[in-house]
Amino acid sequence: MRVYLPSTLTLLAGVRAAQEIGPAPVAAHAVTPALREWYAGGDLEELEYAALSAAARASLRLLAADPAAPRRRVVLAAEVPDQLVTWPRGDAGLANDDRAQVEISEAVPWKRIASGHVDDANAAADIAAAAEALPAADAGDDDARFTVDGAEGHELLWYATQELPHLLD
């Protein structure tokens, strides 16, 4: 199963050093039955983009929790065995991001990472503003929500796994 793991450049450095993402359980996002039901008109590519976007929002939360991390969202796409992935059953009351939420029962080895998706450095100011506005947005502030939503206007760039270490230099 293709899963999308939220990260930051700081966490990516640790993942590279450890050669795995862990410890288990590992939070991730994927195309789940609840996401398929919610986005019934979407094809597989659109559903995967929705799961990637949910992971990017989770990456923003990681940035909000780590003010020292460079202000670029990071999502790692990985292939993991289906039997290692679980998700909540049903979708009653789930937020859009939660519909794609999954849990991986084992650490994810570096060799299972298929690609990385990272903000361009030019997006850093908007990402920083969104990370700072996140608590107010969560509390219902419409202006803060607008700022957070603005981060989604930046598309994540695709990187092959062999290119990811260059982002850490």
Side-chain angles (χ1 to χ4, degrees), residues 5 11-24 26 76 106-113:
L5 302 136
L11 293 173
L12 177 60
V15 167
R16 183 168 176 256
Q19 290 295 294
E20 69 177 17
I21 302 167
V26 178
L76 301 173
E106 295 181 5
V108 179
W110 179 265
K111 68 182 179 184
R112 293 219 175 259
I113 298 173

Side-chain angles (χ1 to χ4, degrees), residues 35-169:
L35 183 62
R36 284 181 190 278
E37 185 176 325
W38 173 74
Y39 198 177
D43 63 18
L44 183 57
E45 186 175 326
E46 291 170 317
L47 290 165
E48 286 184 351
Y49 185 79
L52 171 71
S53 296
R57 286 186 290 278
S59 174
L60 187 63
R61 292 196 174 283
L62 293 172
L63 290 171
D66 183 1
R71 298 336 229 172
R72 295 169 74 183
R73 297 168 299 164
V74 176
V75 175
L76 301 173
E79 296 291 337
V80 299
D82 291 357
Q83 67 269 21
L84 299 181
V85 182
T86 59
W87 54 85
R89 302 299 180 213
D91 72 349
L94 292 177
N96 292 344
D97 290 356
D98 293 341
R99 287 183 173 98
Q101 183 76 41
V102 298
E103 188 172 89
I104 305 166
S105 61
E106 295 181 5
V108 179
W110 179 265
K111 68 182 179 184
R112 293 219 175 259
I113 298 173
S115 61
H117 305 267
V118 182
D119 277 310
D120 184 87
N122 293 334
D126 289 342
I127 301 304
E132 186 175 317
L134 197 55
D138 288 345
D141 183 313
D142 287 337
D143 290 335
R145 184 76 235 160
F146 182 78
T147 300
V148 170
D149 289 345
E152 292 182 12
H154 294 280
E155 291 291 325
L156 300 178
L157 304 176
W158 181 90
Y159 290 88
T161 53
Q162 61 269 30
E163 295 174 304
L164 293 173
H166 299 296
L167 294 171
L168 304 173
D169 296 337

